[in-house]
Amino acid sequence: MYSPEEFRKEAHKLVDWIADYYTEIEKYPVKAAIKPGSVFAQIPAAPPEAPEEMDAIFKDFQDIILPGITHWQNPSFFAYFPANSSFPSLLGDFLSSALGAQCMKWETSPSATELEEAVMIWLRKMTGLPDSFTGVIQDTASTSTLAAIISARERATGFAVNNNGMTSVMRVYCSSEAHSSVEKAVKIAGIGKNNLVKIQTDDQFRMNPAELEKAITGDLKRGLLPVCVVAAIGTTGSTAVDPLQDIAEICSKHRVWLHVDAAFAGSALLLPEYRWIIKGVEKADSLVFNPHKWLFTNFDCSAYFVKDVETLIDTFKLIPEYLRTQIPEHVNDYSNWGIQLGRRFRALKLWFVIRSFGIKGLQNRLREQLSIASELKSWIEQSPEFEILAPVHFNLVCFRFHPAGIDGLDELNRINEKLMLEVNKTGKMYITHTKLNGIFTLRMITAQTNVQHHHVKNGWDLIVEKSKSVLN
Ligand code: PLP
């Protein structure tokens, strides 16, 4: 066992290593390039009988583990959506680990509960969400969306499913571009994936509200029970923004729960000029966005806002005797606000981030990244051999290489996939893809905490250079 003095010595070494890691992060290949199974093969089949020295463990971390890490904190990480960190967030997370508090109830760590309550009010104010929403931190957007769908199920049935199980066929709606977490939630909630109705999108990948109305009225006529619509504000494929106001009208009319999935793009709400994306949100029932994506806060930290807290609590609350505490009425027991019983102290890192950056600092960083993306867009537009494939609302740019004389879909898809693989193979940057209307689409997002103009310019130059060789 370590003494506090031994811990101090090892921790100082580790902090030095971390500071060096961030200083030198651009020397590492962004995307891990190891053979499948090669890390596993280096881990002894049996755990050690005797204690090992930290030096030996740390050496193996460097030699075995590090080569198999994709460096999400490298500023040339342009893939997926980011999972950003920042130094204030790291410090908050250190402390949270050090305290090791399990924050399931107010009594099990009053500060964790009360800080979470306060920070979620801050976040609501910072994003311009109406006061009618109350926030709670969930682990991920997937869990938040699951909580929304289960709450919708219970509200629609007066909590009958919680008591008796499913007796009716329920329907959930989202666009064909919605995130796969909606389908997963529908499966877990017992609604069944065949009862997830994927509504067509328009030419900008937004849900078509007229099709939504048609689907709901058709289902009602057939005796099915519409319970929830999930609108996407910033789809994963292309950051399309569903027309919330129109969708909200339809949900109000049919008394269907409206959940807004703004997992990535919700951070843009810190910028008043982006608040148009949630016009109509006062009619929504819940909204999720992830500070662990684009608010410089370590994974995991998902902000779930809900209008009807009572329904959320009535859906999830369970108090067995061993968890019964004598607490004042007005405090929150967050384990009743979602799926997990045990909860990490996540509010701490978010508090550190918001205070260290300040609202202005956060806004500046977001605006810088948005402006770098609009430059990237203009380089692509000016390049006759490339084309933009979706509107650029935020800092995700969807595009493809389209050289003169090649117009076949399969051929274009093949060369763009090859281009992506070639670019990623260099280790200098990392981009990923999606398919939009069957078109292999390169996705490049300028949202890493430390991304600067020159990282994106170098990345774009590399794409152009590699495009010259993929036709062979
Ligand atoms: N919703 C959207 C729009 C996403 O893009 C993602 C992930 O990228 C998710 C939900 C799931 O996020 P999480 O990993 O927090 O569950």
Side-chain angles (χ1 to χ4, degrees):
M1 276 292 274
Y2 274 31
S3 68
E5 277 317 309
E6 282 166 320
F7 170 75
R8 188 192 308 280
K9 198 179 91 204
E10 295 303 337
H12 280 158
K13 280 200 276 187
L14 215 70
V15 169
D16 282 341
W17 185 88
I18 294 169
D20 290 344
Y21 170 71
Y22 273 90
T23 308
E24 295 169 359
I25 198 164
E26 292 179 48
K27 290 190 191 153
Y28 293 88
V30 188
K31 181 176 185 285
I34 57 161
K35 290 212 167 59
S38 64
V39 173
F40 184 81
Q42 295 177 77
I43 309 291
E49 288 289 343
E52 293 192 71
E53 291 296 322
M54 187 49 72
D55 281 351
I57 301 171
F58 193 71
K59 184 171 183 316
D60 284 350
F61 163 76
Q62 289 187 289
D63 296 348
I64 301 173
I65 306 300
L66 210 50
I69 293 294
T70 288
H71 297 278
W72 286 67
Q73 306 314 318
N74 187 314
S76 295
F77 183 98
F78 306 123
Y80 304 106
F81 284 142
N84 278 329
S85 180
S86 65
F87 290 129
S89 169
L90 265 178
L91 295 174
D93 224 11
F94 281 175
L95 279 182
S96 166
S97 294
L99 296 173
Q102 206 276 56
C103 311
M104 58 185 168
K105 296 170 75 72
W106 179 84
E107 187 174 295
T108 62
S109 255
S111 291
T113 299
E114 295 189 17
L115 184 64
E116 181 162 339
E117 187 177 354
V119 167
M120 293 308 279
I121 292 171
W122 280 10
L123 217 48
R124 183 182 70 210
K125 290 186 175 151
M126 287 161 67
T127 50
L129 284 172
D131 289 352
S132 48
F133 283 87
T134 305
V136 53
I137 301 180
Q138 307 280 4
D139 54 8
T140 58
S142 302
T143 302
S144 300
T145 295
L146 176 59
I149 289 176
I150 296 178
S151 304
R153 184 191 77 187
E154 293 310 305
R155 187 179 75 177
T157 59
F159 300 91
V161 178
N162 263 358
N163 291 325
N164 308 316
M166 284 288 211
T167 50
S168 48
V169 178
M170 298 184 182
R171 304 286 270 180
V172 173
Y173 311 80
C174 64
S175 90
S176 52
E177 289 290 320
H179 190 261
S180 57
S181 53
V182 181
E183 186 164 324
K184 200 182 256 188
V186 164
K187 290 202 286 184
I188 299 169
I191 291 170
K193 75 172 182 168
N194 292 341
N195 290 311
L196 175 63
V197 185
K198 294 198 176 164
I199 306 294
Q200 279 170 14
T201 54
D202 65 12
D203 59 353
Q204 295 189 22
F205 312 105
R206 302 174 295 198
M207 185 192 286
N208 181 335
E211 292 295 323
L212 174 66
E213 169 72 35
K214 224 192 305 172
I216 293 178
T217 46
D219 284 346
L220 285 169
K221 269 195 204 129
R222 292 195 293 145
L224 309 178
L225 181 60
V227 291
C228 185
V229 173
V230 181
I233 300 299
T235 58
T236 314
S238 69
T239 57
V241 176
D242 286 343
L244 196 58
Q245 192 147 34
D246 294 347
I247 295 170
E249 294 294 337
I250 296 166
C251 291
S252 297
K253 183 169 124 196
H254 295 292
R255 300 231 192 94
V256 174
W257 186 291
L258 173 56
H259 174 61
V260 180
D261 178 2
F264 170 75
S267 296
L269 295 171
L270 264 75
L271 309 176
E273 65 272 26
Y274 275 85
R275 302 246 167 102
W276 63 268
I277 61 178
I278 52 157
K279 195 150 182 267
V281 76
E282 57 291 340
K283 287 212 168 91
D285 293 284
S286 54
L287 177 144
V288 60
F289 89 96
N290 283 349
H292 73 228
K293 281 186 161 50
W294 193 26
L295 211 60
F296 319 121
T297 305
N298 277 63
F299 190 83
D300 49 9
C301 184
S302 181
Y304 179 57
F305 289 94
V306 65
K307 216 189 284 170
D308 179 0
V309 176
E310 291 312 312
T311 293
L312 178 72
I313 295 174
D314 289 346
T315 298
F316 290 107
K317 188 172 178 176
L318 270 179
I319 309 183
E321 191 53 40
Y322 46 81
L323 291 178
R324 204 170 291 286
T325 46
Q326 288 180 335
I327 51 158
E329 283 288 300
H330 58 275
V331 299
N332 297 332
D333 276 348
Y334 284 124
S335 55
N336 289 327
W337 293 48
I339 292 156
Q340 303 172 275
L341 172 65
R343 305 177 86 247
R344 299 182 64 230
F345 187 3
R346 299 190 189 93
L348 195 59
K349 60 191 171 189
L350 191 53
W351 191 50
F352 273 43
V353 168
I354 296 170
R355 293 186 61 183
S356 299
F357 279 81
I359 296 175
K360 284 258 171 322
L362 291 168
Q363 288 174 327
N364 289 345
R365 194 74 273 261
L366 296 175
R367 286 199 181 104
E368 275 172 53
Q369 298 186 345
L370 290 158
S371 116
I372 298 173
S374 67
E375 268 201 83
L376 170 63
K377 176 177 172 246
S378 73
W379 299 330
I380 296 170
E381 281 170 340
Q382 286 156 27
S383 170
E385 300 212 299
F386 284 82
E387 61 189 353
I388 297 281
L389 294 175
V392 179
H393 295 301
F394 307 98
N395 42 359
L396 172 67
V397 186
C398 291
F399 63 103
R400 73 171 167 179
F401 177 43
H402 189 166
I406 300 183
D407 289 309
L409 177 67
D410 290 345
E411 178 63 358
L412 283 170
N413 284 357
R414 193 188 63 75
I415 61 175
N416 276 282
E417 183 166 14
K418 190 167 169 200
L419 176 56
M420 180 183 78
L421 296 175
E422 287 297 317
V423 162
N424 290 343
K425 223 192 282 172
T426 66
K428 292 183 180 158
M429 63 185 280
Y430 184 16
I431 54 173
T432 48
H433 82 285
T434 190
K435 273 200 175 160
L436 296 173
N437 290 330
I439 295 174
F440 192 97
T441 303
L442 302 173
R443 294 170 78 262
M444 183 158 169
I445 183 156
T446 64
Q448 210 291 316
T449 307
N450 297 309
V451 67
Q452 300 294 334
H453 183 273
H454 68 273
H455 298 114
V456 179
K457 181 70 173 72
N458 292 345
W460 169 241
D461 289 347
L462 185 62
I463 291 170
V464 172
E465 182 199 317
K466 290 289 168 192
S467 71
K468 306 209 185 310
S469 58
V470 291
L471 293 175
N472 306 324

